[in-house]
């Protein structure tokens, strides 16, 4: 029989550091899920030894696999439906059992079983991985103390007691044995032992020790000379493998070699890269973009475990604002969904700490965040000059259009309302002042923004966004002053020409144009500075992308102005009023969101979809702010209707 056997079905709940996140499962449900996942893992790896070319080669092991699948079915029947998912584990288990019963090819059974395991863990929100990177020194010491007698000093299965055991100990130096073994499977075997073999349970060891030992056995078959050469080969693979403890926990040697082959490495280079990953990268920082984020998250979990939730929240905020956010611009250009996933994972972890959730839940949410960070590194892998160019172009064009649209609305409104060039000059003065301050911010960014820190940047952005929303609502008061187009235009002309309101009106126009444009300019500075950090050798590419975006922006604005000149006053004013109020609602949501990320406002999640482009985030605070803006808009509209009717009478 191959390592491990049916003990995999008994993976301990507390030992795996993989309880479910808040709102997902209870510990009892999580234990059942893990046991089902362990059975699927066992079948995927060991079926090939029981059935060869459609024939049963090992009747006892084949019968054992069918028995385990029956056990998995019984466990699955007791599981509640997974949260926020329609996944049915019984369907996947039936498919796996049908493949085994039909004696399908081993690669097909393995693919179906592993897909079912992944879907099961994802549906119930469970990650099977260590909560912190394993320790190479600790693993080496544990192996010397507990494993040498059977497995031998080099892991060859030739220890002093090996001849006494039946079946004999497996060799960790055998490529065929290791091809289908993962650290997670080794951890399960260490936790529960393997009945009917000499493999005893080491469940009394702390989970961290068992993880360190599970990772260590993968280093035994690799020559030190290969690990030194492997660093270069791994670098040439250009992100084919994210070598973090979280990602490597469930990865077999065979899967890693396949990934290196797809990256174009030769067979010797693949072996070298594998040696580096197993013997070096799994135990240390790889210099990857998300390493500082992971370190801060581990510090946050450590502080929470030490009974210091306030420090945990501070570390978590620093992890997001100071370590992750500098990469957000480049990641948004490559994979916006990855940004959303990381943000959601951060907020879930923060919420668990704020409500003083059990430590196991906090650790699990940190593991879930680690998986999202791994995916973010996958998305960032291989970025270069072309990526920096495209990112800079997209950032500047997107932010510039947002500001330009509002400025054009203000200009069109003032001119169509008969206010003349004086009000237009107020609008121009506002946005030109914002651009000038934005340029100054860029030149000061190297020192000013770096000194501010992530929390202060989010605080500034949130306050500016809410201030812009307030000024937008003030402007909508002028636009909605009349409902009938002709009388509205005439009344607006009269009001705008009145000396008593001139200064106030122009102050509103100038300040609104300034605030709206400077908010976009501030974000452009932040994002482009982040791109420069992510691509230090691509400064010319960033500048080129920004230059192309500016040219495109000028053309788009010119086209929109030409179109706007053909519009009639009434429809323009109606559209302007609606858009101004819509922008106020969007900015209200985004402003509160920034304050939440800065840690100033708490977070109460809601079961709603998320749409960043309209500022809709699934939290009570952001939705509440947008509702307040909508109520204010409705009040202004009703007041305008009543006032219009009174004057008409």
């Amino acid at each position: 029989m191959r390592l491990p056997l049916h003990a995999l079905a008994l993976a301990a709940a507390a030992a795996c550091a993989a309880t479910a996140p808040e709102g997902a499962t209870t510990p009892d449900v999580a234990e059942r899920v893990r046991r089902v996942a362990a059975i699927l893992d066992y079948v995927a790896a060991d079926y090939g030894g029981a059935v060869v070319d459609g024939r049963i080669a090992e009747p006892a092991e084949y019968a054992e696999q069918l028995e385990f699948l029956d056990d998995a079915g019984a466990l699955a029947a007791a599981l509640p439906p997974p949260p926020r998912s329609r996944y049915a584990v019984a369907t996947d288990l039936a498919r796996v059992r049908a493949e085994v019963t039909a004696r399908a090819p081993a690669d097909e059974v393995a693919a179906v079983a592993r897909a079912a395991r992944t879907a099961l863990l994802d549906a119930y929100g469970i990650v099977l991985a260590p909560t912190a990177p394993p320790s190479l020194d600790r693993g080496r010491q544990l192996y010397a103390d507990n494993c040498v007698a059977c497995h031998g000093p080099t892991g060859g299965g030739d220890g002093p007691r090996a001849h006494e055991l039946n079946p004999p100990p497996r060799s960790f130096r055998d490529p065929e044995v290791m091809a289908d073994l993962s650290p997670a499977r080794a951890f399960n075997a260490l936790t529960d032992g393997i009945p009917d073999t000499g493999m005893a349970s080491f469940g009394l060891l702390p989970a961290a020790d068992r993880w360190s030992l599970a990772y260590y056995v993968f280093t035994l078959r690799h020559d030190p000379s290969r690990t030194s050469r492997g660093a270069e080969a791994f670098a040439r693979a250009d992100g084919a493998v994210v070598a973090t403890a979280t990602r490597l926990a469930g990865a077999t040697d065979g899967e890693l070699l396949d990934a290196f082959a797809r990256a174009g490495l030769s067979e010797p280079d693949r072996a070298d890269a594998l040696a580096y990953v197993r013997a070096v990268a799994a135990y240390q920082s790889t210099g990857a973009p998300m390493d500082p984020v992971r370190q801060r998250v581990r510090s946050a979990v450590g502080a929470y475990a030490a009974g210091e939730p306030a420090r945990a929240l501070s570390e978590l905020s620093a992890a997001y604002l100071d370590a992750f956010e500098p990469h957000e611009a480049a990641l948004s250009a490559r994979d916006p969904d990855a940004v959303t996933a990381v943000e959601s994972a951060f907020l879930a972890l923060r919420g668990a700490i704020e409500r003083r959730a059990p430590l196991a839940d906090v650790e699990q949410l940190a593991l879930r965040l680690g998986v999202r960070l791994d995916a973010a590194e996958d998305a960032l892998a291989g970025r270069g000059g072309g990526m920096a160019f495209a990112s800079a172009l997209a950032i500047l064009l997107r932010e510039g259009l947002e500001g330009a649209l509002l400025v054009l609305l203000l200009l069109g409104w003032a001119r169509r309302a008969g206010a003349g060039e004086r009000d237009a000059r107020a609008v121009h003065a506002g946005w030109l002042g914002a651009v000038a301050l934005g340029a100054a911010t860029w030149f000061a960014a190297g020192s000013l923004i770096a000194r501010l820190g992530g929390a202060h940047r989010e605080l500034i952005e949130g306050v500016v966004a809410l201030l812009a929303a307030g000024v937008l609502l003030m402007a909508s008061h002028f636009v909605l002053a009349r409902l009938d187009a002709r009388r509205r235009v005439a009344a607006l002309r009269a009001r705008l020409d009145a000396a008593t309101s001139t200064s106030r009106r122009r102050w509103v126009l100038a300040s609104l144009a300034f605030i709206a444009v400077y908010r976009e300019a501030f974000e452009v500075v932040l994002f482009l500075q982040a791109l420069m950090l992510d691509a230090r050798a691509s400064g010319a590419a960033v500048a080129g992308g920004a230059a192309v975006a500016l040219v495109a922006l000028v053309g788009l604005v010119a086209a929109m102005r030409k179109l706007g000149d053909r519009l009639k006053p009434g429809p323009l004013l109606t559209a302007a009023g609606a858009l101004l109020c819509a922008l106020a609602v969007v900015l209200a949501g985004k402003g509160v969101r920034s304050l939440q990320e800065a840690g100033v406002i708490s977070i109460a999640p809601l079961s709603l979809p998320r749409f960043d482009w309209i500022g809709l985030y699934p939290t009570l605070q952001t939705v509440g702010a947008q509702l307040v803006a909508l109520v204010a808009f409705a009040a202004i509209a009703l007041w305008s209707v009543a006032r219009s009717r009174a004057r008409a009478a």
Side-chain angles (χ1 to χ4, degrees), residues 144-168:
D145 293 343
N146 301 282
C147 309
V148 167
C150 298
H151 291 280
T154 62
D158 53 357
R161 292 192 54 220
H163 67 281
E164 304 173 7
L165 303 177
N166 184 26

Side-chain angles (χ1 to χ4, degrees), residues 1-3 150-151 155-158 167-174 177:
M1 294 184 182
R2 302 175 68 186
L3 175 70
C150 298
H151 291 280
D158 53 357
R170 286 297 183 179
S171 170
F172 297 126
R173 302 182 66 84
D174 185 343
V177 171

Side-chain angles (χ1 to χ4, degrees), residues 510-578:
S511 61
L512 180 57
F514 175 86
I515 292 172
V517 173
Y518 183 69
R519 178 181 181 274
E520 308 303 334
F522 188 75
E523 287 194 351
V524 167
V525 170
L526 289 178
F527 290 157
L528 292 186
Q529 286 289 334
L531 275 182
M532 298 295 286
L533 289 175
D534 268 351
R536 294 183 184 275
S538 302
V542 173
V548 172
L550 284 174
V551 173
L553 187 60
V554 170
L556 288 171
V557 170
M560 288 189 290
R561 286 200 64 180
K562 187 174 182 180
L563 177 63
D565 289 340
R566 298 177 182 178
L567 297 178
K568 296 181 179 180
L572 179 64
L573 288 171
T574 301

Side-chain angles (χ1 to χ4, degrees), residues 275 361 404 620 623:
D361 287 356
L620 177 63
V623 173

Side-chain angles (χ1 to χ4, degrees), residues 33 41 85 91 296 312 317 320 395 434 440 454 507 532 562:
V33 170
D41 202 5
S85 172
T91 302
R296 289 280 197 174
S317 294
Y320 179 79
I395 289 165
W507 178 87
M532 298 295 286
K562 187 174 182 180

Side-chain angles (χ1 to χ4, degrees), residues 463-515:
V463 170
V464 169
L466 292 177
L467 185 58
V471 177
L472 278 168
L473 289 173
M474 289 177 60
S476 68
H477 161 71
F478 291 107
V479 177
L480 297 173
R482 296 289 186 274
L483 295 183
D484 177 73
R486 259 184 214 176
R487 285 188 298 167
R488 180 171 50 188
V489 171
L492 281 172
R493 181 181 294 113
R495 288 187 61 192
L496 293 170
D497 288 338
T500 55
S501 62
T502 298
S503 60
R504 178 172 174 241
R505 182 184 69 249
R506 290 176 185 165
W507 178 87
V508 169
L509 290 171
S511 61
L512 180 57
F514 175 86
I515 292 172

